[in-house]
């Protein structure tokens, strides 16, 4: 056992004395030491229940013959961090989480790990750590929030942000906004739509790193505690069989995840996280392949913000495995791959019936014959830009309009809310990329303001930053190269015509090569916005959005 390095032999007597100080018995130290990475905290709604999940995992591990030992991981609430300087500190935590988990696991020589994440960067950060450490590991998340109910309709956090935009437009009273405020987030859990947290928890199932239901069983259901006990038991089976993350997270597993992503209509953030996780697993996953997968993968789900259904509805309809079983009818998945169940993908999904064709469309009757995410390219995004196609209204799939250029998110929001943005405009927000932000802020506030102002079917938004999974509309993010390194988005001028063609995967600036070259010759890099602390170090090491914003030593 790896843990022999801290528990066995005369040289380890000092180590055992410290375990004695912790109250561990000789019998416990003779068992495999299983690290349980707890992301519990009291600031993230999706994490406030993780103490109960962790206790259930501990019981499962102990029942199956292991010694559970808990240590922490941080997590940021993207909703609370949204719209101010705090959002610069969201994406960057993904690497802090991966690095700190690696440190704890290696320093204490755990034999296996159970990851207990839930929200946004916490899930991909721990998946990155799992791939990097490559010791037997299983995931069990805290689960999604139940949808809120306002005026007899199901609602979620994206409805709340859009309510603020509607108030700015004068179409919603302050009293109505207060009612939304009290009701849209009614329970603990990751916010109830197909936002980033739920996208990544669902993709953990698709990758083979979580048990059935990990992405969809609501946080408040007792079934979630049963799932946690089973995860604790199952990690011991993984340890006995020496099944490791890199045995599971192969190239074909990532292709499965991208396929399920397209069917579910996941957050565009998955296009940042999957390449980063693959990078840690030694797999080259270029986002360009997304369009190839999308071209043959039907979009089967329209969960909020794309439609009126929520995670609880997906769970009742059969969950991720039911979606995968629909996809398998067209032979779209690699079914022979190993998973944390100890069985193959094909064995896992066999007999998982779609219980509600209104929530999970049958593969013969999809929302669209192509997937929920598109990667766009052109002279404005030579490397790539990403859009959640399933959340774009039909009239905005092809759009042309004048650029309204802003060098930070705050200036764009002020212009939108003051009525300076009109139908037909293309809002450009730049210098918000991984390096330029730094930290690649999510742009839920401006997209929600556009929707709330009634402009969602007539105004597009383009940025080298990124979007929350709660964003909807013609919102194109991850534009690469970013403005901070002199990408073409830095050269756009007020009034330039921008052409968007999502069906053809094109994003073009109607400016001649000669004029762009002249502008490029005049362009000067900007002074860093932040010159001290973690963000300064991050900005020096981070790569572009099309590469998953992974860190590199230059």
């Amino acid at each position: 056992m790896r843990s022999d390095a801290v528990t066995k032999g005369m040289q380890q007597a000092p180590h055992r004395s410290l375990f004695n100080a912790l109250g561990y018995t000789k019998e416990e130290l003779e068992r495999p030491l299983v690290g349980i990475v707890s992301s519990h905290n009291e600031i993230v709604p999706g994490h406030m229940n993780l103490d109960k999940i962790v206790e259930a995992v501990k019981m499962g591990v102990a029942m199956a013959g292991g010694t559970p030992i808990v240590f922490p991981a941080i997590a940021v609430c993207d909703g609370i961090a949204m719209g101010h300087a705090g959002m610069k500190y969201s994406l960057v935590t993904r690497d802090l989480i991966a690095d700190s988990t690696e440190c704890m696991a290696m320093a204490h020589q755990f034999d296996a790990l159970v990851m207990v994440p839930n929200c946004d960067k916490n899930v991909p950060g721990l998946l990155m750590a799992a791939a990097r450490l490559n010791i037997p590991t299983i995931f069990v998340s805290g689960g999604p929030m139940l949808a809120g109910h306002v005026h007899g309709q199901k609602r979620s956090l994206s409805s709340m942000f859009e309510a603020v935009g509607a108030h700015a437009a004068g179409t919603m009273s302050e009293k109505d906004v207060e009612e939304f405020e009290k009701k849209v987030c009614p329970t603990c859990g990751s916010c109830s739509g197909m936002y980033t947290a739920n996208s990544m928890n669902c993709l953990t199932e698709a990758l083979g790193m979580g048990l059935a239901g990990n992405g969809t069983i609501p946080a408040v259901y007792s079934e979630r505690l049963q799932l946690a006990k089973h995860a604790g038991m199952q990690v011991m089976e993984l340890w006995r069989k020496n099944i490791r993350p890199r045995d599971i997270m192969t190239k074909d597993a990532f292709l499965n995840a991208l396929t399920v992503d397209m069917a579910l209509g996941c957050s565009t953030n998955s296009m940042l996280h999957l390449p980063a996780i693959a990078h840690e697993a030694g797999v080259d996953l270029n986002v360009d392949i997304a369009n190839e997968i999308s071209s043959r993968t039907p979009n089967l789900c329209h969960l909020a913000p794309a439609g009126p259904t929520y995670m609880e509805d997906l769970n009742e309809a059969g969950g991720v495995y039911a979606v995968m079983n629909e996809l398998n009818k067209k032979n779209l998945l690699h079914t022979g791959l190993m998973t944390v169940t100890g069985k193959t993908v094909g064995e896992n999904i066999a007999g998982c019936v779609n219980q509600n064709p209104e929530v999970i469309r049958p593969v013969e009757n999809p929302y669209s014959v192509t997937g929920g995410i598109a990667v766009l390219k052109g002279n404005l995004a030579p490397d790539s830009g990403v859009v959640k196609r399933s959340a774009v209204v039909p009239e905005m799939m092809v759009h042309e309009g004048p650029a309204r250029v802003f060098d930070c998110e705050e200036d764009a929001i002020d212009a939108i809310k003051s009525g300076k943005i009109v139908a037909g405009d293309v809002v450009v927000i730049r210098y918000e990329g991984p390096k330029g932000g730094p930290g690649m802020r999510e742009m839920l506030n401006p997209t929600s303001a556009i929707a709330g102002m009634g402009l969602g079917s007539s105004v597009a938004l383009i940025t080298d930053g990124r979007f929350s999974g709660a964003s909807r509309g013609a919102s194109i993010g991850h534009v690469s190269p970013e403005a901070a390194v002199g990408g073409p988005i830095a050269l756009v001028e007020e009034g330039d015509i921008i052409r968007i063609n999502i069906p053809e995967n094109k994003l073009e600036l109607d400016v001649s090569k000669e004029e762009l070259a002249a502008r490029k010759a005049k362009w000067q890099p900007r002074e860093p916005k932040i010159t001290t602390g973690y963000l300064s170090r991050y900005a020096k090491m981070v790569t572009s959005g099309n590469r998953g914003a992974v860190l590199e030593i230059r």
Side-chain angles (χ1 to χ4, degrees), residues 163 216 227 267 281 322 354 477 515 520 531:
T216 60
L227 181 75
S267 163
N354 179 359
E515 173 61 18
K520 177 74 172 178
T531 57

Side-chain angles (χ1 to χ4, degrees), residues 241-255:
K241 294 180 178 178
N242 197 28
I243 298 173
R244 303 179 181 220
R246 291 195 186 191
D247 300 326
I248 295 167
M249 290 193 282
T250 62
K251 179 67 175 282
D252 285 345
F254 283 102
L255 297 182

Side-chain angles (χ1 to χ4, degrees), residues 216-227:
T216 60
I217 298 170
V220 295
Y221 284 13
S222 298
E223 187 182 357
R224 176 65 56 178
L225 298 176
Q226 294 169 334
L227 181 75

Side-chain angles (χ1 to χ4, degrees), residues 72-89:
I74 64 169
V76 164
C77 176
D78 277 18
I80 295 174
M82 194 71 65
H84 56 87
M87 182 44 73
K88 295 178 184 289
Y89 289 87

Side-chain angles (χ1 to χ4, degrees), residues 163-241:
V164 174
H167 180 264
T171 59
M172 183 176 285
S173 69
E174 185 174 346
K175 184 178 180 181
D176 284 338
V177 173
E178 287 177 358
E179 184 173 9
F180 270 75
E181 186 179 327
K182 291 174 182 176
K183 294 180 177 178
V184 296
C185 296
T187 73
C188 64
S190 48
C191 296
S192 55
M194 188 55 80
Y195 309 150
T196 304
N198 292 324
S199 294
M200 293 309 303
N201 281 320
C202 286
L203 295 183
T204 301
E205 285 190 58
L207 277 170
M209 291 297 294
L211 300 177
N214 185 54
T216 60
I217 298 170
V220 295
Y221 284 13
S222 298
E223 187 182 357
R224 176 65 56 178
L225 298 176
Q226 294 169 334
L227 181 75
K229 291 174 186 175
H230 284 134
M233 290 185 268
Q234 186 58 27
V235 79
M236 295 308 300
E237 193 66 18
L238 295 174
W239 174 76
R240 292 185 188 98
K241 294 180 178 178

Side-chain angles (χ1 to χ4, degrees), residues 156 158 162 193-195 264-266 299 301-310 367 372 388-393 469-473:
S156 62
S158 53
E162 290 178 17
M194 188 55 80
Y195 309 150
L264 287 172
C266 290
N299 177 224
C301 299
H302 268 192
L303 284 84
T309 54
Y310 294 82
Y367 282 103
K388 188 170 182 174
R389 172 169 32 199
S390 59
V392 180
V393 294
S471 291
R472 61 185 176 98

